[in-house]
Amino acid sequence: MVKSNPPPVYRVEFQPGAKKCLLAINSSLLDAAQQAGIPLASGCGGVGTCGQCRVIIIEGNVSDPSENEKEILSAGELDRGIRLACQARIQGDVAVRVPVSSLITGQRLQTESDVKITKGDPPVRTVAVHLPKPGREDSRSDLSRLAAGLTGVDQEKIHAGLPGIRQLSTMAREYNWNFTTLLHGNEIIGILPPGAKHAGMAIDLGTTKIAAGLYDLSSGEQLAAGGELNPQIAYGEDIISRMAYVIQHPGGDKTLSHSVREVLDTLLGDLTAQEGISRDQVAEICVVGNTAMIHLFLELPVRPLATSPFAASILSAMDVKAQDAGLTAAPGAYVHILPGIGGFVGADHVAMVLASHLDHSPHISLGIDIGTNTEIFLTHKERNFFQSVSCASGPAFEGVHISCGMRAAPGAIESVKLSSLDPVIKTIDNVPAVGVCGSGLIDITAELLRLHVIDHRGRFDRDHDLVRKGNKEFEFLLVPADLSGTKRDLVITQEDINQIQLAKGAVRAGLDIILESAGIEPTAVKEVIIAGAFGTFLNIQNAVRTGLLPVFPNAIFRQVGNAALAGAAQSLVSKQFRKRARKIAEKTHHLELTTYPDFSLRFAYGMLFPGDES
Ligand code: FES
């Protein structure tokens, strides 16, 4: 048998930073970036449709531009060596420059909310003990000795797992039999030095962003907070592409689960270090996320969830050992997952309802969490009912599929006012604009409507003074190259407007359908809660002007920030809240949008912009 030679391997160097890696011929530059640890944006998961992974070839050989590249990049960009990293394949040693606008760093990651965490009855409690030392007359096991020394417990039922027992035997002697025991029900989950505080970590595992907080389990006080981008973005921007990745790649479930667990564990390490406590002091973790995120975190099969009738493996609340979920905390610590409702409406939505107290609302109230996946909750006190829907709004409000779109990071245009002179724009951190994030996109759209640059179908008025013919289509110049941080024009194109219409059409269809199915007019709604990072910076007036939100003439709007994280934190410190979460999940009727009569028509209607009368 003839032995074939291994494929040639080439060197890829990324600038700035001179990060290098070796890869086999025909590997993509996106593979190389992932190997080199370059956080390159890749919204479509490498399919070649989002245009986010732009890099510049400094020197070396790569494959000829693919059809997707010719479609997305202009001839001028290709001439300047700009390529899509996911499409360009290595043909020799190559040096590449990564523009800042292609990186997924420095994101604005929301960990705040206006919800106050109230102290409750935590699932983990501490008991201080001072035990007699073992001796000739007393050779009880360490576990029996501790069980006998615990007060206010059923000693017969006290137990511990192997890691807890190991820690007990070591720490008891180290602290001369004077220590604090961490108890989860009747289980000993850890041993702490006398007087050490015990903490918990709440995690909002979003499709795009992860937010986490460390809390004192006795007082409910937040000790530290932080966030990261969900590393699974490298495998697809939305939940559908990520589940497709898992289905198509053997071992993909492990890859995605491992990637997110690693980031969560690092966050746990960072937050405990910030507060100056040890990982052993983290006695409980509460995670919320949509159904797909929870499946991908716990490595549950996603095929049934990805195809009709979209059945989840589990929707009820769960407790899994932290160490089984790849998190290093107290030896026997648990990760509590709040229950989900149905379809993709998961634990994060329940947490949002919980923290916003929508389940106790005395009015007809709506809760909306706009993201890559948007969830909407409707409650009607008099009829004693809760209803929810989930809309596949897609990542356009994260800047994906928008020619100059980007996530909320330094340099992103977050608000815009167009006057007769120049646009008045505000960027995050007040640095030169490098792109537009979600709230900026809503503002621009509202302004273009106000000035009749686009009509209610979203079409550019080609004769308008503010409209010009671009390389491929008509466009509006927002920031000229000489003023932008990227040194290229930042424009809003006809295709961008279409993408915004698709995203807002999905949200609007969800809102219209949830109200119509319940027979409720917008005039009857008294309160609208807007949750999530995008919602926090959303200009409500402009959201209504674009038709993203209907007119709610009698409603009070509350932008509550990251209520999902607050709900997770509240469940961390209170069993009562966990009970309420279960009730919310059981009582909420999940309406499957795609099976609603005339859904496609509602969606098409939702894409339209309001006429002048609005
Ligand atoms: S175009 Fe390359 S990752 Fe989307």
Side-chain angles (χ1 to χ4, degrees), residues 30 41-53 72 84-87:
L30 183 60
S42 51
C44 64
V47 176
T49 52
C50 72
Q52 289 184 345
C53 61
I72 289 174
L84 298 181
C86 66
Q87 303 290 296

Side-chain angles (χ1 to χ4, degrees), residues 303-321:
R303 192 182 285 274
L305 189 62
T307 45
S308 180
F310 312 109
S313 291
I314 180 166
L315 283 170
S316 42
M318 259 185 295
D319 287 294
V320 295
K321 284 287 182 187

Side-chain angles (χ1 to χ4, degrees), residues 33-168:
Q34 282 166 355
Q35 187 169 313
I38 309 279
L40 198 56
S42 51
C44 64
V47 176
T49 52
C50 72
Q52 289 184 345
C53 61
R54 281 174 162 84
V55 293
I56 302 157
I57 308 296
I58 302 171
E59 61 180 17
N61 292 327
V62 292
S63 56
D64 290 334
S66 67
E67 286 310 311
N68 282 8
E69 287 181 284
K70 287 182 197 159
E71 178 67 28
I72 289 174
L73 302 171
S74 68
E77 284 179 309
L78 286 169
D79 282 346
R80 296 206 304 279
I82 296 175
R83 299 292 302 272
L84 298 181
C86 66
Q87 303 290 296
R89 305 213 160 253
I90 300 160
Q91 304 295 313
D93 289 348
V94 58
V96 175
R97 190 156 67 76
V98 182
V100 179
S101 51
S102 297
L103 290 173
I104 50 175
T105 51
Q107 306 289 301
R108 181 152 65 187
L109 299 159
Q110 176 134 29
T111 55
E112 306 86 27
S113 88
D114 71 352
V115 177
K116 187 169 164 7
I117 308 302
T118 48
K119 190 184 158 205
D121 46 341
V124 175
R125 63 201 176 92
T126 53
V127 184
V129 291
H130 188 64
L131 304 177
K133 289 180 194 169
R136 281 198 194 163
E137 307 294 311
D138 180 4
S139 60
R140 288 173 297 169
S141 72
D142 294 347
L143 183 59
S144 301
R145 186 176 305 279
L146 173 56
L150 292 170
T151 49
V153 298
D154 183 345
Q155 293 178 357
E156 295 287 303
K157 291 186 179 160
I158 289 292
H159 63 282
L162 191 53
I165 291 173
R166 274 194 202 114
Q167 192 186 42
L168 164 62

Side-chain angles (χ1 to χ4, degrees), residues 17 36 92 97 167 180 182 191 225 227 255 279 303 308 325 411 426 444 451 456 495 525 531 545 600:
R97 190 156 67 76
Q167 192 186 42
T180 299
L182 290 172
I191 304 295
T255 309
R279 283 174 176 264
R303 192 182 285 274
S308 180
K426 179 175 178 324
I444 293 163
L451 298 174
H456 80 289
E495 176 56 21
V525 175
R545 181 180 281 279
S600 309

